[in-house]
Amino acid sequence: MKKIIFPLIFSIFFMGCLDYTQYVTVDDNNNITVVAVATMSKSLVELAAYSEGQENGIPDYYYDDILKEMENEARSSYPRNFKFKKINNDNEIGLYINGVLNGNNLTEDDSSLVPIKEGNKFIFTPYDYSEGKDNYSEYASMFSSMKMKLIVSKSYIPNVSSCYLSSYDGVKDVNVYDLKDSFLIELPMLSGIDSPILYIEL
């Protein structure tokens, strides 16, 4: 059972977590704090297992193994100083991730963690969830409704005049909400364009 469940869970979780929120803020010393919360409903995991022929569902102890593998995968995507806490309650599983970056030493490679300023705009490179989506067409409707929520404090980005995803395939506007002390930017996990880059113009 483990050999079937693990690839299924990883494909769903890392291609499109049902709820992924990332918060970015900066202090007076230009230290940038990044907090990410990625969770998935246990009922969805059980439904996916059932659709794969696992009629008895997933034993509770399997979630510990799944979370361990999730953490190992996440650690390869974040700096070594970042910390990880597993989320496992009656309703969901996932990870709480947090860490600090030195704002004076940011490079283009950090654009997958925080928006990077270039001239009068910021550039952010979200994970490309479109890769391999054709292999999981049965979950297409589920993926289409998923969004990544990027919350950026106004101490880091003071104002936003426009915000859009762009690539060689096209341009797609994204929703931005003013939360008084921060901006909430909603990114579709399947944007319909290949290798999208988020542009946040001041």
Side-chain angles (χ1 to χ4, degrees):
M1 178 175 171
K2 183 183 292 188
K3 292 181 180 179
I4 297 175
I5 292 297
F6 276 2
L8 174 67
I9 298 306
F10 298 153
S11 66
I12 295 175
F13 193 89
F14 290 108
M15 282 181 61
C17 300
L18 278 188
D19 193 350
Y20 185 95
T21 301
Q22 184 158 313
Y23 176 72
V24 177
T25 189
V26 64
D27 64 18
D28 293 337
N29 296 317
N30 210 22
N31 294 314
I32 301 170
T33 297
V34 178
V35 176
V37 181
T39 59
M40 170 171 280
S41 168
K42 282 187 174 181
S43 61
L44 178 63
V45 177
E46 292 167 358
L47 178 62
Y50 183 81
S51 70
E52 293 292 314
Q54 305 301 319
E55 296 182 0
N56 295 325
I58 301 176
D60 289 341
Y61 62 85
Y62 267 83
Y63 284 113
D64 292 333
D65 291 337
I66 292 170
L67 284 168
K68 181 179 179 181
E69 293 296 332
M70 286 179 178
E71 181 179 349
N72 290 340
E73 182 73 18
R75 284 184 182 277
S76 66
S77 302
Y78 287 86
R80 297 181 67 179
N81 67 309
F82 273 53
K83 298 179 181 179
F84 302 83
K85 181 180 179 180
K86 298 172 185 175
I87 300 170
N88 187 1
N89 54 45
D90 291 340
N91 301 314
E92 61 189 7
I93 59 171
L95 294 174
Y96 172 86
I97 304 163
N98 72 92
V100 177
L101 301 171
N102 186 332
N104 298 317
N105 298 326
L106 295 179
T107 68
E108 290 184 4
D109 293 337
D110 295 312
S111 66
S112 61
L113 294 173
V114 297
I116 303 296
K117 188 173 184 180
E118 291 189 2
N120 66 339
K121 61 180 176 291
F122 285 79
I123 295 175
F124 181 70
T125 309
Y127 179 77
D128 186 6
Y129 294 95
S130 300
E131 183 178 354
K133 68 177 180 179
D134 293 337
N135 296 327
Y136 304 96
S137 57
E138 64 269 33
Y139 303 113
S141 60
M142 179 183 71
F143 290 148
S144 65
S145 64
M146 295 178 180
K147 294 181 176 67
M148 171 187 177
K149 300 179 185 71
L150 177 64
I151 302 175
V152 185
S153 72
K154 291 185 178 179
S155 61
Y156 190 69
I157 298 181
N159 62 280
V160 176
S161 63
S162 66
C163 191
Y164 54 90
L165 286 169
S166 178
S167 77
Y168 292 113
D169 296 334
V171 175
K172 184 183 293 280
D173 290 332
V174 299
N175 294 328
V176 180
Y177 302 97
D178 191 331
L179 304 181
K180 292 190 177 180
D181 60 348
S182 59
F183 292 105
L184 166 61
I185 302 171
E186 289 188 338
L187 302 174
M189 288 192 171
L190 291 181
S191 63
I193 57 179
D194 184 39
S195 302
I197 298 175
L198 177 71
Y199 291 92
I200 306 169
E201 296 189 346
L202 301 175

